[in-house]
Amino acid sequence: MIWLIGCKGMLGSEIARQFEENKIEYVETDREVDFTDYTSIQNFSNDKKIDFIVNCAAYTAVDKAESDKDLAQKLNEEGPANLSKLCNSINATLIHISTDYVFDGTGNTPRTEDMSVAPIGVYGETKALGEKAVTSTCNKYYILRTAWLYGWNGKNFVYTMLKAMNTHDAVKVVNDQRGTPTFAGDLAGVIIKIINSIEKVPYGIYHCTDLGDITWWDFTNEIKKQGIETGYLTNKDCVVNPCTSDEYPTPAKRPAYSVLSKEKIQKTLGIKLPDWKESLSVFLKSSLFDKTRLE
């Protein structure tokens, strides 16, 4: 059996949907079981035969984390540490979601799994500490670093920009941060493939995003193009202006370059991840697309 933690979030809800679609047996929890309390997770697992724990729970408010470090550390480090300890005690495998923010954003070549982490903000720091807690404690684990995640459930950049472009004559988007958008459906599919291929997939850290190397400005222009094609963007004349990160200051500094190398995950699983434009099209054209998010 699989225990899915953080089932109501953007990624967790998509994993649950795909578990249902593939008739995979699982139990799910959100805030009703506190994973920062070891007794709580131990009690929940006592009467269940859990083989995998998929942890999608995290503190993800990047800017708010700068002034809320204690809670960010509790959720991003202490929670994964508890899950690692529990997995050892029940002989389960942990699948833990991490982020490109563990890197400092310097350089211009895709980050590989063996590169040293050097986070530049509280969110990245606490996620890096969570990774360390897993790698130093858990006997059987997969850490999946992803980036620029969007999905059908919850707020995300695609919904936000479509709504903004429909209600403004112009939008300003940073053009000096490079990375890769990742559709939650693709990441969920990789997680299921790992679960189904565990004998062939060595434990460790893997990078998993869609394919491509773009800026947020590039992403917005493609959202505009496909938004017009699907009819979700009615204000076709909205102008997408580029700007620098300095022109759009935020409490937390973002990595300037955080493209992740997917060579390891693709070679290990024998797959080719989709191009980010293809996945954006799947997202927009699906019946699961939430039009109410644009209102």
Side-chain angles (χ1 to χ4, degrees), residues 148-150 156-158 161 165 173-175 180-182 214-225 240 276-277 280:
W148 296 23
L149 198 64
Y150 67 94
N156 62 65
F157 188 77
V158 182
M161 295 316 300
M165 286 187 283
V173 187
V174 294
N175 196 33
T180 312
T182 308
I214 63 167
T215 70
W216 289 105
W217 183 74
D218 297 324
F219 192 19
T220 305
N221 278 297
E222 186 64 23
I223 293 168
K224 178 182 177 180
K225 176 177 175 291
V240 182
W276 68 273
K277 288 184 182 180
L280 178 62

Side-chain angles (χ1 to χ4, degrees), residues 3 5 30-31 33-38 40-41 55-59 74-76 78-83 96:
W3 178 12
I5 298 176
D30 200 67
R31 296 186 180 185
V33 178
D34 182 4
F35 78 139
T36 67
D37 179 352
Y38 187 76
S40 178
I41 60 173
N55 178 37
C56 297
Y59 189 108
K74 194 174 182 68
L75 295 175
N76 292 345
E78 294 179 26
N82 284 337
L83 295 177
H96 175 65

Side-chain angles (χ1 to χ4, degrees), residues 58-70:
Y59 189 108
T60 58
V62 176
D63 288 321
K64 192 177 178 183
E66 293 297 308
S67 58
D68 198 14
K69 185 172 183 177
D70 289 346

Side-chain angles (χ1 to χ4, degrees), residues 126-165:
T126 57
K127 289 297 288 183
L129 288 169
E131 286 188 4
K132 187 175 181 181
V134 172
T135 58
S136 63
T137 304
C138 196
N139 296 329
K140 301 191 296 185
Y141 68 86
Y142 299 101
I143 294 174
L144 298 181
R145 292 179 181 145
T146 192
W148 296 23
L149 198 64
Y150 67 94
W152 289 305
N153 183 39
K155 290 176 60 179
N156 62 65
F157 188 77
V158 182
Y159 285 138
T160 298
M161 295 316 300
L162 283 172
K163 184 174 181 178
M165 286 187 283

Side-chain angles (χ1 to χ4, degrees), residues 25 87 139 183 209 216 247 253 262 291:
E25 184 182 12
C87 280
N139 296 329
F183 173 42
T209 71
W216 289 105
E247 292 176 79
K253 188 178 180 182
K262 277 72 69 174
K291 299 175 186 177

Side-chain angles (χ1 to χ4, degrees), residues 80-135:
N82 284 337
L83 295 177
S84 297
K85 180 180 174 183
L86 180 68
C87 280
N88 288 349
S89 71
I90 63 175
N91 194 31
T93 298
L94 176 62
I95 299 178
H96 175 65
I97 309 302
S98 193
T99 174
D100 58 324
Y101 276 66
V102 299
F103 296 111
D104 62 8
T106 59
N108 57 9
T109 56
R111 312 292 88 178
T112 57
E113 290 82 352
D114 57 356
M115 287 183 173
S116 299
V117 300
I120 55 176
V122 170
Y123 169 67
E125 288 172 6
T126 57
K127 289 297 288 183
L129 288 169
E131 286 188 4
K132 187 175 181 181
V134 172
T135 58

